[in-house]
Amino acid sequence: MPTEAFDIPRSYTGDLSAVVIPEGMIKDRVRRLAHDIHSSIGSQPLALLCVLKGSYKFFTALVDELTSARFDCPHPMTVDFIRCRSYEDTQSTGSVEIIGLSNLTELEGKNVLVVDDIVDTGRTLSRLLHKLKESGVKKCWTALLVSKRVPRTIDVTEDFVAFQIPDKFIVGYGLDYNQRFRDLRHICVMSNSGIEKYKNLE
Ligand code: 5GP
Ligand code: MG
Ligand code: MG
């Protein structure tokens, strides 16, 4: 969809070529996803694990929906945070850095819903799930904002997926390009001039 039809801040004018998923559609989809999560695993006590930085918006929206009174949830949920880093420029680097913000031993014996932004090769999520298993979590599910429709050599569990997209590099709604665009309200594709502009920025 053309960017002119959407509320895009002036600072990003010209940096984007299209809006792929508008904020309103994300909100609607997250509401439905929360319903699906609640129907299949919501009766159990859950620890929600936010994978920073990319999933910060998705996580907040999902937690808000999951804790809605309409689900009449019998258990309070806990929230924890971890940071994974794997991308440089617009390519997956192959090495995954996992930085614990919460103490992972706190998740021992718990049912954990891992909330992540996007699965591309699956390497990041697979490493994280492995690490969680090592830390003694009881059971793990994954909730993903976006899954890229690409052939995967790494087998990774995708339990709850909000959107499937073709193999394009996207930004916005938490997703960055060199730390920019996380604050953008919609999920967008960058223009070539936008990529050039932010390529070498720290
Ligand atoms: P994977 O390890 O599955 O190849 O990559 C997952 C991580 O790479 C994501 O958590 C995200 O940080 C980053 N990533 C993958 N695809 C995209 C994309 O299209 N846009 C952005 N901004 N980040 C991506
Ligand atoms: Mg991520
Ligand atoms: Mg990134």
Side-chain angles (χ1 to χ4, degrees), residues 51 54 84 86-87 92 96 116-125 148 152 165 168-172 175-177:
V51 185
C84 291
S86 78
Y87 248 57
S92 191
V96 180
D116 205 354
D117 53 356
I118 185 164
V119 178
D120 181 6
T121 63
R123 200 176 280 121
T124 310
L125 193 57
K148 280 195 190 171
R152 298 225 169 83
I165 61 154
K168 287 215 183 298
F169 185 78
I170 53 167
V171 292
L175 290 147
D176 77 309
Y177 178 62

Side-chain angles (χ1 to χ4, degrees), residues 175-189:
L175 290 147
D176 77 309
Y177 178 62
N178 285 339
Q179 301 304 326
R180 306 311 197 281
F181 304 97
R182 292 195 196 279
D183 55 335
L184 189 61
R185 285 159 58 170
H186 315 289
I187 294 179
C188 299
V189 173

Side-chain angles (χ1 to χ4, degrees), residues 5 8 21 31 41 80 94-95 115 134 139:
I8 306 276
I21 315 171
R31 198 175 160 85
I41 59 173
D80 287 279
S95 66
V115 182
E134 276 179 359
K139 179 124 181 58

Side-chain angles (χ1 to χ4, degrees), residues 127-182:
R127 288 280 167 82
L128 176 58
L129 292 175
H130 186 76
K131 190 161 174 162
L132 288 171
K133 211 173 210 176
E134 276 179 359
S135 307
V137 305
K138 186 173 163 198
K139 179 124 181 58
C140 246
W141 295 268
T142 58
L144 305 161
L145 175 62
V146 176
S147 175
K148 280 195 190 171
R149 263 187 250 112
V150 291
R152 298 225 169 83
T153 50
I154 297 163
D155 195 26
V156 74
T157 315
E158 300 177 50
D159 296 300
F160 306 98
V161 177
F163 298 99
Q164 304 256 3
I165 61 154
D167 190 10
K168 287 215 183 298
F169 185 78
I170 53 167
V171 292
Y173 202 77
L175 290 147
D176 77 309
Y177 178 62
N178 285 339
Q179 301 304 326
R180 306 311 197 281
F181 304 97
R182 292 195 196 279

Side-chain angles (χ1 to χ4, degrees), residues 12-168:
Y12 290 140
T13 309
D15 300 336
L16 306 163
S17 63
V19 173
V20 188
I21 315 171
E23 182 188 38
M25 191 185 277
I26 300 171
K27 286 206 155 52
D28 275 12
R29 182 69 190 103
V30 169
R31 198 175 160 85
R32 177 67 210 194
L33 201 69
H35 173 271
D36 294 346
I37 292 169
H38 182 76
S39 305
S40 37
I41 59 173
S43 55
Q44 322 177 42
L46 268 186
L48 306 173
L49 181 64
C50 174
V51 185
L52 293 170
K53 297 180 186 175
S55 76
Y56 84 96
K57 276 187 186 244
F58 175 47
F59 185 76
T60 315
L62 190 61
V63 174
D64 280 352
E65 289 295 341
L66 281 172
T67 53
S68 160
R70 74 182 187 281
F71 291 136
D72 197 20
C73 205
H75 308 284
M77 293 170 199
T78 59
V79 293
D80 287 279
F81 300 86
I82 196 165
R83 186 170 174 207
C84 291
R85 205 162 49 182
S86 78
Y87 248 57
E88 255 168 36
D89 203 71
T90 61
Q91 299 296 316
S92 191
T93 61
S95 66
V96 180
E97 194 185 354
I98 299 177
I99 307 160
L101 298 174
S102 299
N103 190 349
L104 284 189
T105 55
E106 284 168 22
L107 297 175
E108 202 180 323
K110 294 196 176 153
N111 296 315
V112 179
L113 178 66
V114 177
V115 182
D116 205 354
D117 53 356
I118 185 164
V119 178
D120 181 6
T121 63
R123 200 176 280 121
T124 310
L125 193 57
S126 155
R127 288 280 167 82
L128 176 58
L129 292 175
H130 186 76
K131 190 161 174 162
L132 288 171
K133 211 173 210 176
E134 276 179 359
S135 307
V137 305
K138 186 173 163 198
K139 179 124 181 58
C140 246
W141 295 268
T142 58
L144 305 161
L145 175 62
V146 176
S147 175
K148 280 195 190 171
R149 263 187 250 112
V150 291
R152 298 225 169 83
T153 50
I154 297 163
D155 195 26
V156 74
T157 315
E158 300 177 50
D159 296 300
F160 306 98
V161 177
F163 298 99
Q164 304 256 3
I165 61 154
D167 190 10
K168 287 215 183 298

